[in-house]
Amino acid sequence: MPGLGRSTISKWEIAGEHLAERYQQFFLVALGETILVAGFAYSRGPYESGHVWAFALALATSIMLWRIYVQRAGRILGEAVMKARHPATIGRSAADTHLLMVIGLAATAIGYELIIEHPLERIPGAWLAMVLGGPALFLAGRARLEYEVFGRISPSRWVALTVLVASSVPLLYLPGVIATAVGALVLGAVAVADARRAHGAPPEAAAPPF
């Protein structure tokens, strides 16, 4: 029935730090799963150079995903919730944001498994969608998280997403491990851009737009 079971945002009571901690744990569990998937795929062998490179790139990608997430916005989500004019609004929005990032992690993990098992083969479009689409979904979610916390989005997010999309066509004609390398390099560039922006500057305070 219309209206039944529907909550009113203004009646929500939000504990910012507790909510942010739950979302962070949700993300970290999903990130840990990507590493487990990569490890299981690699453990099945063979242990030739292409497989070793694919596994190493998978681990590097997971590290970059973690680094980008925790760079400021991921650490002070609780502060942003407490500062927001409408805490329930940012709480709900952050839930959708983390779901998007976790879907990106799941796609990335599928890409790990496919490439570790077939590192030197040309990959079909569906595989490439996992390899590059996973990091792209994560970056889109992370850009949204940045907006929720600071009310703005860093240009590096849009540049990275553009590079991932633009590189998808030529990568269809190259070995799968190259696609994984491109994804890792793009994420690494975003992490470096974040670090350079924060270097020597006072910690940015939360400024949620909600």
Side-chain angles (χ1 to χ4, degrees):
M1 297 293 292
L4 290 181
R6 186 176 300 170
S7 63
T8 302
I9 290 179
S10 61
K11 294 181 179 178
W12 277 29
E13 294 183 2
I14 299 294
E17 292 297 333
H18 177 77
L19 186 70
E21 183 180 314
R22 298 287 82 77
Y23 288 158
Q24 290 162 3
Q25 290 174 348
F26 188 41
F27 175 83
L28 290 174
V29 168
L31 184 63
E33 288 296 320
T34 69
I35 298 174
L36 284 176
V37 169
F40 287 145
Y42 182 66
S43 68
R44 292 194 288 267
Y47 304 106
E48 300 175 356
S49 60
H51 302 274
V52 173
W53 274 108
F55 178 65
L57 288 168
L59 293 183
T61 299
S62 290
I63 292 171
M64 292 301 104
L65 292 168
W66 169 81
R67 186 68 182 85
I68 293 169
Y69 176 81
V70 301
Q71 179 62 36
R72 197 59 184 158
R75 291 201 300 264
I76 65 169
L77 175 59
E79 177 186 333
V81 173
M82 299 306 296
K83 283 187 173 182
R85 297 186 302 275
H86 305 289
T89 300
I90 188 174
R92 284 182 165 181
S93 181
D96 295 336
T97 295
H98 280 76
L99 178 60
L100 179 61
M101 287 191 285
V102 167
I103 292 173
L105 293 181
T108 301
I110 294 170
Y112 287 171
E113 185 171 14
L114 295 171
I115 300 305
I116 289 172
E117 292 179 353
H118 310 277
L120 302 180
E121 299 178 16
R122 285 173 52 179
I123 58 177
W127 292 20
L128 188 62
M130 298 294 105
V131 175
L132 296 185
L137 283 175
F138 165 79
L139 286 174
R142 182 57 178 75
R144 176 170 162 156
L145 177 64
E146 189 173 25
Y147 177 76
E148 291 164 348
V149 174
F150 298 120
R152 50 93 180 149
I153 298 175
S154 301
S156 62
R157 307 290 188 261
W158 303 118
V159 173
L161 285 169
T162 301
V163 171
L164 288 173
V165 172
S167 64
S168 60
V169 174
L171 287 174
L172 286 171
Y173 303 95
L174 296 173
V177 70
I178 302 299
T180 304
V182 169
L185 287 172
V186 169
L187 292 172
V190 172
V192 170
D194 287 349
R196 289 187 62 182
R197 185 176 63 252
H199 180 69
E204 188 175 1
F210 301 100

